[in-house]
Amino acid sequence: MGQLLAIVLAWLLAFAGPGLTGPLPLRAAGHVTDLAGVIDTETARQLEDRLATLTRETGIDMVVLTVPQIAAYDGATTVEGFAREVFDGWALGSATRNDGILALVVTDQQVVRIELGAGYDQGYDPIAQDVIDRHFKPAFIAGDLSGGIAAGVAATIDTIAMRKAAPSGNVTSATGGGSRFWIFAVGAAFIAALAYVRRRGRAAAPLEIPCPQCGAAKPRGGPCPACGHTRQREDRDGERIRSRPDRDDNRPEGGGRSDGGGATGRW
């Protein structure tokens, strides 16, 4: 029986197809890696054009990945953890700005995830959740995965990427004239307001909190002096994604990283 199972496993791995097994998916050339085969040709072309324009005009690297399931990849247990591993493994975005974005769709599990680079503060998480709820999921529920991905990517660019690019001055003149300026100005004011609220909240908060890993007192927002535990974020479903001190050791040079920010939705 053991030999039979080994033969079956070897046969499945041999015929699984490129990019469908291993530690991480293999990224296709460009910005769209559709391993689940759910994006039609015309939509894929339009996505490539729009995402290439985003990178050219703002420097923000956003990619789309679809997979049937995450179980085929070594060590993948949660969609949130898998998205972060892909983000860091593909080194998305700028190493200095950490402004990359990953839109992940897991078709068999009916889960969509927007993974944000470490340069996005937590004020962007509810925006990502709103994009998922109002733009990705309605078409997904109706059975139109290709259309939902197109709508979700467009909304992600408009409400997250362009908002991030505006205050940093990364937008070139190719993005438009005076009307676009006012959009960026409003976005910058919104983020400034969020930052002000967060600063006031931090000022009122205790300087030290218990470490969630070992219980020792640790500085708020800093590493634990006892065990080295670093910042953690908690997604909407309560699954914790912790930073690891050795996380950057095996990453490609020149790319960005994520600290677990973003949002997840199921349809």
Side-chain angles (χ1 to χ4, degrees):
M1 178 63 71
Q3 290 180 338
L4 178 60
L5 289 176
I7 293 172
V8 172
L9 178 60
W11 184 87
L12 289 173
L13 291 175
F15 290 94
L20 296 181
T21 59
L24 290 175
L26 299 178
R27 180 178 178 179
H31 298 82
V32 179
T33 302
D34 182 23
L35 298 180
V38 295
I39 305 176
D40 64 71
T41 303
E42 179 59 21
T43 299
R45 184 191 64 77
Q46 293 174 358
L47 287 171
E48 286 286 0
D49 289 346
R50 183 154 195 181
L51 293 171
T53 299
L54 174 69
T55 301
R56 183 174 64 252
E57 295 184 352
T58 69
I60 293 177
D61 182 21
M62 178 177 176
V63 302
V64 176
L65 169 64
T66 74
V67 295
Q69 55 182 306
I70 64 172
Y73 302 99
D74 297 346
T77 57
T78 67
V79 169
E80 291 79 11
F82 175 70
R84 187 173 175 188
E85 293 292 342
V86 171
F87 192 109
D88 288 0
W90 287 6
L92 301 181
S94 162
T96 55
R97 299 191 308 270
N98 287 310
D99 54 3
I101 304 173
L102 169 66
L104 168 67
V105 178
V106 186
T107 56
D108 289 358
Q109 295 173 250
Q110 296 184 309
V111 182
V112 56
R113 170 78 181 169
I114 297 177
E115 187 75 14
L116 300 176
Y120 295 87
D121 63 49
Q122 292 183 358
Y124 282 91
D125 293 356
I127 300 174
Q129 191 67 60
D130 183 67
V131 169
I132 288 175
D133 293 341
R134 296 203 301 124
H135 298 279
F136 278 100
K137 288 175 59 175
F140 286 178
I141 292 171
D144 183 8
L145 294 182
S146 189
I149 291 170
V153 167
T156 303
I157 291 173
D158 291 342
T159 63
I160 296 178
M162 299 306 292
R163 183 171 293 177
K164 178 67 173 175
S168 64
N170 292 336
V171 182
T172 69
S173 60
T175 57
S179 61
R180 189 66 68 108
F181 167 80
W182 288 110
I183 295 175
F184 295 155
V186 171
F190 176 78
I191 292 178
L194 285 177
Y196 174 74
V197 171
R198 294 184 66 211
R199 282 197 301 271
R200 291 196 62 181
R202 283 196 295 267
L207 297 179
E208 290 189 339
I209 60 174
C211 173
Q213 183 161 293
C214 71
K218 66 178 287 292
R220 176 174 290 274
C224 176
C227 68
H229 178 79
T230 55
R231 179 187 181 189
Q232 66 181 15
R233 303 183 76 149
E234 186 171 354
D235 79 347
R236 189 175 183 180
D237 297 314
E239 296 184 14
R240 296 189 181 276
I241 309 166
R242 292 181 171 83
S243 301
R244 298 198 302 266
D246 61 347
R247 189 169 194 86
D248 292 338
D249 293 348
N250 298 317
R251 293 179 58 256
E253 294 183 2
R257 63 180 179 83
S258 173
D259 66 358
T264 303
R266 292 166 171 79
W267 75 90

